[in-house]
Amino acid sequence: MARIVRFHQHGGPEVLRIEEVDLSPPGPGEVQIRVKALGINRAEALLRAGTYIETAALPSGLGLEAAGVVETVGEGVENFVPGDAVSAIPPQSMVRWPAYGELVTYPAAQLVKHPPSLDWKGAAAVWMQYLTAYGALIDIAKLGSGDAVVITAASSSVGLAAIQIANKVGATAIAVTRTSTKKQALLDAGAAEVVILAEENLTARLNTIVGPKGVRVVLDAVGGPIFGPLTAAMTKGGILIEYGGLSREPTPFPLAAVLGKTLTLRGYLVHEITGDPAKLEAAKAFILEGLEAATLRPIIDRTFAFDQIVEAHRYLESNDQFGKIVVTI
């Protein structure tokens, strides 16, 4: 028996329950791990609420990231043995492979032996944020030295990962945030410039920062009215990658800017990386090298105990965090 988190109806954080479940042993190609820490992501709140891109069959587990110790390996698994310290790459389906539990099962291909310099909390805070930022900035946008990249929702775990990745490849990271509360923290985290939406004209400030050449790459998690000012500050042939949708307002299509500058507006999901073995291997190599060199370093906002999973989700929805929320077991 193991304690896992499930929900029997869609709703707010209060629908999450910790239940005792008798788990099956790992099947062929699978690995069962004893979880030490979990990474908490907004996608899990969306699944719980019934608004995610994946539909849960109730009752459902949830969770995309875990780190722990290999307990048992299934038939045909050769790269892992009991006792190995591993972290899990977000699967294509968290309904099929949920992470919230004391004991969880994953395909061996979804596990990584993370650098020993990472503690359990750090190891549980790696893959969702860095794979998301890597896929957008490196795989799609080909961000490199001399580029400027605008990063909205910059204090989120993905935003902070994007800042670090931009610095790693010699690009200039321009962080966009709502208020000045987190300005200094973003500068300390590596942002070259910070734009405060509540206090500054976004287009004018970006034009001041980058000059007449404009911004080539925008990584946006917000959508809504911000699209107009962002595209107005972009260079000809630039690319805006949308991976979120935090705004509750309609997102206007900036027709004049898109046509006049031949811009690319592209939707993006991390599944594009995790579902492609070749791209995933390239991403893992990039991220592991950065972790070992300390050019990439997970930033933990707050840690909760496993029994506080409801409180962790409430904090997630407060939208006040700076970095990753982690649950320890």
Side-chain angles (χ1 to χ4, degrees):
M1 299 290 286
R3 296 194 305 161
I4 67 169
V5 177
R6 295 200 298 183
F7 57 97
H8 293 250
Q9 64 187 66
H10 295 299
E14 69 280 355
V15 304
L16 298 177
R17 303 180 188 175
I18 298 177
E19 301 176 338
E20 293 274 352
V21 175
D22 189 11
L23 298 179
S24 302
E30 295 179 342
V31 174
Q32 206 161 67
I33 66 172
R34 180 70 58 178
V35 175
K36 300 294 185 180
L38 305 166
I40 306 297
N41 297 282
R42 190 163 297 278
E44 291 134 34
L46 295 175
L47 183 76
R48 185 206 71 223
T51 57
Y52 190 49
I53 57 174
E54 182 177 14
T55 302
L58 302 175
S60 176
L62 72 169
L64 288 164
E65 292 180 283
V69 177
V70 172
E71 180 121 330
T72 313
V73 300
E75 181 183 351
V77 174
E78 298 178 350
N79 297 328
F80 300 99
V81 297
D84 281 345
V86 296
S87 50
I89 288 171
Q92 295 292 99
S93 167
M94 73 168 116
V95 172
R96 174 64 181 87
W97 309 103
Y100 286 12
E102 294 177 328
L103 198 64
V104 298
T105 302
Y106 272 96
Q110 296 293 125
L111 298 179
V112 179
K113 296 177 184 177
H114 53 260
S117 58
L118 289 179
D119 61 14
W120 293 120
K121 292 188 293 184
V126 167
W127 295 107
M128 188 64 171
Q129 62 195 35
Y130 288 113
L131 284 171
T132 300
Y134 169 91
L137 299 183
I138 306 302
D139 183 69
I140 296 173
K142 312 300 182 189
L143 189 73
S145 179
D147 276 328
V149 54
V150 173
I151 301 161
T152 68
S155 61
S156 68
S157 59
V158 174
L160 294 170
I163 290 171
Q164 294 177 13
I165 287 175
N167 288 334
K168 176 174 164 56
V169 300
T172 299
I174 303 169
V176 177
T177 189
R178 289 178 301 157
T179 69
S180 59
T181 306
K182 300 171 184 176
K183 179 177 179 178
Q184 189 57 52
L186 286 166
L187 291 170
D188 293 343
E193 300 281 353
V194 178
V195 182
I196 311 301
L197 286 175
E199 302 173 9
E200 301 176 281
N201 179 288
L202 179 56
T203 302
R205 180 66 197 288
L206 291 177
N207 287 337
T208 299
I209 294 170
V210 300
K213 67 178 182 179
V215 175
R216 188 178 74 83
V217 181
V218 174
L219 180 63
D220 182 48
V222 180
I226 200 174
F227 255 43
L230 286 173
T231 54
M234 292 177 70
T235 189
K236 186 173 182 179
I239 180 170
L240 185 154
I241 300 172
E242 184 66 34
Y243 74 98
L246 294 175
S247 176
R248 296 183 179 180
E249 298 181 60
T251 301
F253 184 76
L255 180 63
V258 171
L259 288 177
K261 300 181 182 182
T262 60
L263 301 179
T264 297
L265 307 185
R266 190 191 192 286
Y268 162 68
L269 294 174
V270 72
H271 295 165
E272 296 180 48
I273 302 299
T274 58
D276 184 315
K279 290 185 176 184
L280 180 58
E281 285 305 310
K284 284 163 56 177
F286 180 96
I287 293 165
L288 288 171
E289 188 278 329
L291 292 170
E292 290 167 353
T295 54
L296 304 181
R297 50 183 182 84
I299 296 175
I300 309 297
D301 175 87
R302 186 166 171 182
T303 303
F304 292 84
F306 188 60
D307 289 334
Q308 296 176 301
I309 191 66
V310 172
E311 289 83 352
H313 267 241
R314 285 185 179 138
Y315 184 66
L316 173 71
E317 295 190 343
S318 75
N319 202 31
D320 193 40
Q321 61 269 16
F322 188 89
K324 196 79 168 190
I325 301 169
V326 173
V327 168
T328 56
I329 300 180

